Amino acid sequence: MSEVQFCPCGTEVDYEHCCGQFHCGAARPETAEQLMRSRYSAWALQLIDYLIATTWPRQQRQLQRKALEEWANATEWQQLKIVNTLHGDTDDTTGEVEFHATYRLKKNGKTDTHQERSAFIKEDNQWYFIVSTTVTGRNDPCPCGSGKKYKKCCMP
């Protein structure tokens, strides 16, 4: 009998029954946190198509596949820690997930931690990641590009 391969997202569940079901299309993440975890695992496994597909469709054209591939190839993802979630449950349409993701750069072996509070939106019963490089304030322009203030648009 083969050893169970735990999911890279850190749930201590085997990959097939955790993020693997999302990566192969057998199921969709039901919460923003599940999508966050599956995207982390996609980075760890270099599943660029999944990362693009789970980015909000209005922002997918902005993504640069080559840059995503280069970053995925340059890093070894070691640990994901979910710090906090705000909304993003099955009945919500927006959510935020704050996390710390530890990685090692393959080139020089340096270990670092990426910290982020990611925004998510649910459309047509599917969760998407909203690209944003900074934490958005209530009165800042919404990262979705609508031209509205964050509090009047995608803020949970």
Side-chain angles (χ1 to χ4, degrees):
M1 188 158 90
S2 65
E3 186 176 322
V4 173
Q5 178 188 1
F6 288 130
C7 190
C9 80
T11 58
E12 296 188 4
V13 174
D14 66 284
Y15 171 72
E16 180 182 335
H17 293 100
C18 192
C19 295
Q21 65 182 330
F22 307 134
H23 294 161
C24 75
R28 290 182 178 175
E30 295 179 6
T31 67
E33 182 177 332
Q34 282 183 334
L35 179 58
M36 176 63 245
R37 288 181 176 281
S38 71
R39 286 179 56 85
Y40 172 87
S41 293
W43 278 112
L45 300 170
Q46 301 181 13
L47 302 175
I48 306 304
D49 289 338
Y50 184 81
L51 292 167
I52 293 171
T54 57
T55 299
W56 196 23
R58 294 184 195 180
Q59 296 179 322
Q60 288 177 3
R61 290 189 332 195
Q62 300 167 10
L63 300 177
Q64 297 176 1
R65 174 180 278 283
K66 183 174 172 139
L68 296 174
E69 289 171 348
E70 287 173 357
W71 178 244
N73 288 328
T75 53
E76 179 182 289
W77 294 92
Q78 299 179 325
Q79 182 182 30
L80 173 66
K81 179 182 177 190
I82 303 297
V83 176
N84 191 27
T85 58
L86 180 64
H87 305 292
D89 291 325
T90 55
D91 294 333
D92 294 323
T93 57
T94 60
E96 290 184 1
V97 179
E98 184 178 354
F99 67 92
H100 298 169
T102 305
Y103 64 92
R104 184 182 70 80
L105 293 173
K106 293 177 183 176
K107 183 177 182 178
N108 61 16
K110 181 182 174 193
T111 299
D112 204 350
T113 300
H114 173 77
Q115 300 177 32
E116 183 176 319
R117 184 170 33 173
S118 295
F120 297 88
I121 189 166
K122 188 177 185 182
E123 290 183 346
D124 298 324
N125 207 31
Q126 182 166 334
W127 283 102
Y128 294 100
F129 168 69
I130 298 176
V131 176
S132 177
T133 56
T134 60
V135 174
T136 303
R138 294 174 36 84
N139 292 311
D140 292 336
C142 190
C144 77
S146 67
K148 298 177 183 177
K149 289 184 179 184
Y150 182 52
K151 68 182 177 185
K152 297 286 186 179
C153 193
C154 293
M155 185 174 152

